[in-house]
Amino acid sequence: MAIGDQTLFGISTENSQGEDFVRVGVIGYGYWGPNIVRNFHTQERSRVVAVCDKSVKSLQRARQAHPDVPVTENCADLLEAADIDVAAIVTPVWTHYELAKAALENGKHVFVEKPFTRTTAQAEELIELAERKHLKIMVDHTFLFTGAVRRIRQLIGDGTLGELYYYDSTRVNLGLFQHDVNVIWDLAPHDLSIMDYLIKEKPEAVVATGERHLNGVADVAFLTLYYPNNMIGHINVNWLSPVKVRTTLIGGEKKMLVWNDLEADEKIKIYDKGVEKSGDVYKLLVSYRSGDMWAPRVEQTEALKIEAAYFIDCILNDKKPFNDGVAGLHVVRMLEAADRSLEQKGKIIRL
Amino acid sequence: MAIGDQTLFGISTENSQGEDFVRVGVIGYGYWGPNIVRNFHTQERSRVVAVCDKSVKSLQRARQAHPDVPVTENCADLLEAADIDVAAIVTPVWTHYELAKAALENGKHVFVEKPFTRTTAQAEELIELAERKHLKIMVDHTFLFTGAVRRIRQLIGDGTLGELYYYDSTRVNLGLFQHDVNVIWDLAPHDLSIMDYLIKEKPEAVVATGERHLNGVADVAFLTLYYPNNMIGHINVNWLSPVKVRTTLIGGEKKMLVWNDLEADEKIKIYDKGVEKSGDVYKLLVSYRSGDMWAPRVEQTEALKIEAAYFIDCILNDKKPFNDGVAGLHVVRMLEAADRSLEQKGKIIRL
Amino acid sequence: MAIGDQTLFGISTENSQGEDFVRVGVIGYGYWGPNIVRNFHTQERSRVVAVCDKSVKSLQRARQAHPDVPVTENCADLLEAADIDVAAIVTPVWTHYELAKAALENGKHVFVEKPFTRTTAQAEELIELAERKHLKIMVDHTFLFTGAVRRIRQLIGDGTLGELYYYDSTRVNLGLFQHDVNVIWDLAPHDLSIMDYLIKEKPEAVVATGERHLNGVADVAFLTLYYPNNMIGHINVNWLSPVKVRTTLIGGEKKMLVWNDLEADEKIKIYDKGVEKSGDVYKLLVSYRSGDMWAPRVEQTEALKIEAAYFIDCILNDKKPFNDGVAGLHVVRMLEAADRSLEQKGKIIRL
Amino acid sequence: MAIGDQTLFGISTENSQGEDFVRVGVIGYGYWGPNIVRNFHTQERSRVVAVCDKSVKSLQRARQAHPDVPVTENCADLLEAADIDVAAIVTPVWTHYELAKAALENGKHVFVEKPFTRTTAQAEELIELAERKHLKIMVDHTFLFTGAVRRIRQLIGDGTLGELYYYDSTRVNLGLFQHDVNVIWDLAPHDLSIMDYLIKEKPEAVVATGERHLNGVADVAFLTLYYPNNMIGHINVNWLSPVKVRTTLIGGEKKMLVWNDLEADEKIKIYDKGVEKSGDVYKLLVSYRSGDMWAPRVEQTEALKIEAAYFIDCILNDKKPFNDGVAGLHVVRMLEAADRSLEQKGKIIRL
């Protein structure tokens, strides 16, 4: 795994079983960084070998939690170190492009927070660069690794829900306010990446409405996504909600589903409820079906742990992650379209 | 109170205390009609003196519940009867205009289900006709008489919530499918009338998106309402939801509120939560406030009982009801705009 | 159906289809009486032909709701009338014995509120009297006719839950305070009758604890019921709870169940959860099983409607109701034992 | 702080600010141990200087989480080391006495899991020994340091609830089965210590019922505690519940309270509900009051962090912790009484 001769941190590339392992340098130790460090550091086949943050206080926290991991205030140290295989970029979105580019140019794989980049052009450039250098990019769409999302994908894939009618997500809470992006860029990437993962068809158009109240960026917003075959998506994001809600309704021809991610035990409920149409075109009859409800057991393993293991496996065995740069680009493209629609008060943007 | 000499049902116009009372004829005894009959029939100052429905089965139900109230299959009997003061029209919306017009022309006050009419032109004509004949119209926006809505109006009116940021309502369930109108006309009138009642400013534009899946009319829809001063409204209506939701979030500068109408006891929760901005324009700081929650006791009296009493009072004392034809027209105007926006996939419609 | 020649209310004993029907006289029109009247009055094969209450105000309410039903302040009128087949006794428990006895002596079947009587001696006397006169007694254990209880009985009966470990019910709320009985007599009969209906074995002993705070009778109480084979029952009843709770946990060898009667839709949840023991006696291992949850659709028909129809059917076709006097006696025996235990601060009372 | 000259782990007794700090050795790294290590290790004034566990696997986990903390399989190393000030005993209850005794005899303060000991005799001996050696004992009744319990204590202390009527706790879940103790010893110490902390009076008697189903110890149990002045306590503990419940109702003369510890945000709800008695002894009237509900903000800091800081402070400043050996003894005394009552099927045990 060692990429060059020059080593900064002097870390061995073999774990105690004599296997190769992956050396991860983490840039950014704010809100989410500690989870990244913990998860890559406790994998069998990876180690965090450096943490970088501009804040002295953050580095203190890192040292306290992981006394064995070197820290630095200077990202260049980490980006240029020969004995680091992966740069994990856990910083604000406007810094992603520059940091990821430097990492790729220095021969490092990139694990980067969502959303991937600030623009589609940046995303495309990074994808091209990674391909050229034979490096991997993984965008941290953590939700795709939760037991709930994987179970829902299975339920859609095996036809349990039938043809999809709608996907309607409410993702609201108080804060965290971002200064560089609006609430859509902060919260909607979760749903956009999940929809991309769950729904076979791609959206054809987006309509976004919303309003700004405090710091000049939209803090309340509503997205509609038009899909082929009358499937419709809707995402309600809000930084000004007094209560936290993480609820998604998915309506299908055969079954309907409620995913409440805040429930400890019964995150997914599948309802044998539906509407059946009968009669001819002149006298359409609609009848309701109301049967049992069923809450399948959902795998509880921490999503980030699975995701980290998956990325390590992709690197060690040269596989292409499904949540790669292209998947990240899809989400950025939707975000850009949503921004354009939002500015024009709901004007439809074709994709 | 008697309007003419000719009487059909031979009902006295005085109650047992020798006071005037109002004689109500109810047209339509389907889903909501029984509530109208029960509430007007048990008022001190009103009696239901006739029930009309085209369905023999519905009339049987009426007779069983109210053996003392005459029933008829012929609406004309009721509309033309001299000894009826009020026609309560509890029929599908496409019939409202014709029935209300006949009632007004026959000198009857009109109590009519929401939405008022199928078009603004119809609403305007009925308003004009009622004025000319010195008759009252009340549109049955029942929610305005619930303890919850009256309490919320008070909390907004007395400044408890501060300047409003948003009103976001989710009103979804499985069915009832209407054949003549889409889900917006079925479910959104509740929120549109409530917003009209709660919010001082009027909306300036509407954006509606949605999709049809079963019987050719939209069964899932999302409305955004733009108000002055960055206030934004949002209504999520859906006939294809496996679960019933009746939840409204109202965000204000000072406090935030959750109204869950399905809660038995704590329908309204007021959160001492918020965001405060500080700092200059170059370095805006946003800080959160998270304090106590408070659930005020909400009056539990059946809303329709209060509404019926209010309408009777308006008639007996010649007062103008606040939920009159003009209030009903406002809602119809919003519904028409929403339909136009929906057809054009979210095109903004200025009001 | 007419029992004698002398008629008071002059009601025909045939319904509109020319079938026999049962004439019900209802004694008591307080909190529960209106439901009894409504349900017996709207059956195909029964009519309420008289309502009796000592309170003029209650009779006014009865008249308003059912203008076609004669009312009286004098119970004797009703108890002695020849043209009444059933006396429905919906009065405080201390009056049950006397009223039921008079009704039986006058040749009337008896429908009586729970708990059946104040003492087992009274219950036994009434049972014997009814048998001698070939009359039916039904004790209004309404819960036995709910979709939830019937579904649970099915799930236990068909072995879904496996051998039962425990039945644990919490039934608490604020009021209604009774003056003549304590909270056990008010609330526990529900659970005692349900347990009697669901559980094959009979309890062997009871332990009751509790305390009185306001009006000299226990307002908070806890019952433990010992059954054969280590099955245990527990009932928590409380008139001083700020929240209403109606939750029962039933633990079985194979599956476990939660019945929350306040849930609108998912009253019963069945958990594929459990504990398995393995290993020998010296090294017992316990392992957990945590699988899916399943909420079967529960019949929503009003329980009292089904119960009324069932009683009518028992009378017309001379069948013995399963919730007869003997079932009522079982409950009274438990209540008496609980009272004895309560007075002695939890002393076990063998049954 | 150093206790002797001979040091095993060679740890300085001063932190980076040159202040004294406390060196903690943790015995037991199973389910709860990791939390103890993490919290004592991240305090300003303490460090974990050794972790001991008999399981190699547990020690591996400890090393992975805290690479800077030495581990050992041999407890004697830790108990006898001169450079350890506190032994934190996080092992099964039957080992507490022996380990705590050794620690005290070796001059170490003791932090010990609840319940304190297996018998009151053991607890008394340890208390006496600690006093003689001028050492502190703290029993880890963590709940006493939660924001919720501290808030409830305040609400009782300042008279908000008024005179207490009852304390009723439900603490049920599936497992963890203990092999050495029954469900009362596993789950009830939480409530017993909380009641001891909240309620001024001491219980006078206990009644316990329950049943064993799997491994020979009671897995379902119900405790009633009789207090002076008609105050009553009740604890429902169950290892065989399909759902986790952590709900306590506290009824007071003036207000009533629900504490749901599984709620993320509104753990405590205070109801302005109650019952008022009036009238003379012959005609007692009870009327209900139903007002607002109020959920005070509850401090969210991890309880164990506060508890650890408090214990450190008690040691450094020679203060007596309120959750000391005597507090632990109270709980053990209740547990012993409960066991005696349980064996005799609810026989009252006077305290």
Side-chain angles (χ1 to χ4, degrees), chain A residues 39 142-147 300-308:
Chain A
N39 275 287
T142 320
F143 264 107
L144 309 186
F145 296 86
T146 57
Q300 301 269 17
T301 312
E302 186 179 5
L304 198 48
K305 184 179 176 183
I306 299 174
E307 187 180 11

Side-chain angles (χ1 to χ4, degrees), chain B residues 151 265-266 269 271 273 290-297, chain D residues 151 265-266 269 271 273 290-297:
Chain B
R151 198 73 170 85
D265 286 318
E266 298 150 26
K269 294 181 176 176
Y271 292 83
K273 283 190 176 176
S290 184
D292 295 356
M293 182 271 275
W294 167 61
R297 209 178 74 87
Chain D
R151 198 73 169 84
D265 285 317
E266 298 150 25
K269 294 181 176 175
Y271 293 82
K273 282 191 175 174
S290 184
D292 294 357
M293 183 270 275
W294 167 61
R297 209 178 75 85

Side-chain angles (χ1 to χ4, degrees), chain A residues 57-335:
Chain A
K57 214 167 161 184
S58 293
L59 291 184
Q60 270 176 343
R61 283 190 298 121
R63 250 197 313 263
Q64 197 162 32
H66 302 280
D68 60 323
V69 176
V71 301
T72 172
E73 286 176 61
N74 185 357
C75 287
D77 291 353
L78 192 152
L79 289 166
E80 291 161 15
D83 53 357
I84 284 181
D85 307 312
V86 171
I89 299 168
V90 200
T91 55
V93 61
W94 59 268
T95 66
H96 287 184
Y97 166 71
E98 198 179 355
L99 291 168
K101 189 174 172 184
L104 292 167
E105 284 171 345
N106 281 284
K108 285 164 185 46
H109 302 288
V110 164
F111 180 90
V112 58
E113 270 322 289
K114 58 88 207 166
F116 182 18
T117 55
R118 201 68 181 89
T119 67
T120 52
Q122 291 175 345
E124 284 161 353
E125 186 184 334
L126 293 176
I127 291 167
E128 192 276 331
L129 176 58
E131 266 172 25
R132 195 150 34 85
K133 304 273 264 177
H134 300 291
L135 292 165
K136 315 281 179 206
I137 294 172
M138 183 182 267
V139 182
D140 182 17
H141 293 136
T142 320
F143 264 107
L144 309 186
F145 296 86
T146 57
V149 170
R150 289 185 294 149
R151 197 75 169 83
I152 296 171
R153 186 171 146 101
Q154 193 181 14
L155 290 161
I156 293 173
D158 67 13
T160 301
L161 297 194
E163 190 196 333
L164 293 190
Y165 288 154
Y166 66 86
Y167 175 104
D168 182 10
S169 172
T170 303
R171 189 175 295 277
V172 307
N173 52 256
L174 191 66
L176 314 172
F177 264 78
Q178 309 285 327
H179 290 85
D180 55 333
V181 293
N182 63 24
V183 70
I184 297 176
W185 284 73
D186 181 35
L187 295 178
H190 293 304
D191 295 295
L192 293 170
S193 61
I194 294 167
M195 292 165 88
D196 209 38
Y197 185 58
L198 294 180
I199 303 167
K200 213 173 44 190
E201 312 275 0
K202 294 298 154 215
E204 299 173 330
V206 62
V207 167
T209 56
E211 204 52 89
R212 62 198 68 189
H213 300 93
L214 286 154
N215 65 346
V217 296
D219 42 39
V220 175
F222 313 102
L223 273 68
T224 296
L225 287 84
Y226 286 100
Y227 283 79
N229 302 321
N230 292 28
M231 157 77 197
I232 192 163
H234 185 252
I235 305 172
N236 180 334
V237 285
N238 188 338
W239 276 335
L240 290 173
S241 169
V243 285
K244 186 175 182 179
V245 182
R246 294 286 183 271
T247 300
T248 302
L249 306 184
I250 303 179
E253 191 192 4
K254 293 187 187 160
K255 295 255 193 304
M256 293 168 176
L257 183 153
V258 178
W259 166 30
N260 182 348
D261 204 57
L262 303 184
E263 283 262 348
D265 285 316
E266 299 150 24
K267 287 189 189 295
I268 300 177
K269 294 182 177 175
I270 299 151
Y271 293 82
D272 183 20
K273 282 189 177 177
V275 181
E276 273 135 34
K277 50 183 174 180
S278 56
D280 56 34
V281 71
Y282 298 105
K283 203 172 173 181
L284 192 67
L285 292 175
V286 173
S287 62
Y288 303 96
R289 187 184 67 251
S290 185
D292 295 357
M293 183 269 274
W294 167 59
R297 209 180 75 86
V298 165
E299 172 65 46
Q300 301 269 17
T301 312
E302 186 179 5
L304 198 48
K305 184 179 176 183
I306 299 174
E307 187 180 11
Y310 173 64
F311 191 39
I312 299 310
D313 180 58
C314 286
I315 290 172
L316 292 176
N317 299 299
D318 195 20
K319 295 180 197 164
K320 188 179 160 61
F322 72 86
N323 55 326
D324 61 358
V326 174
L329 168 62
H330 284 176
V331 170
V332 173
R333 186 170 289 140
M334 299 299 303
L335 295 171

Side-chain angles (χ1 to χ4, degrees), chain D residues 16 27 31 74 80 101 164 184-185 206 243 309 313 335-336:
Chain D
S16 54
I27 304 172
Y31 170 72
N74 186 357
E80 291 162 15
K101 189 174 172 184
L164 293 190
I184 297 176
W185 283 72
V206 64
V243 286
D313 180 59
L335 295 170
E336 278 191 346

Side-chain angles (χ1 to χ4, degrees), chain B residues 59-72:
Chain B
L59 291 185
Q60 270 176 343
R61 285 191 297 120
R63 250 198 311 264
Q64 197 163 33
H66 301 280
D68 59 323
V69 176
V71 302
T72 172

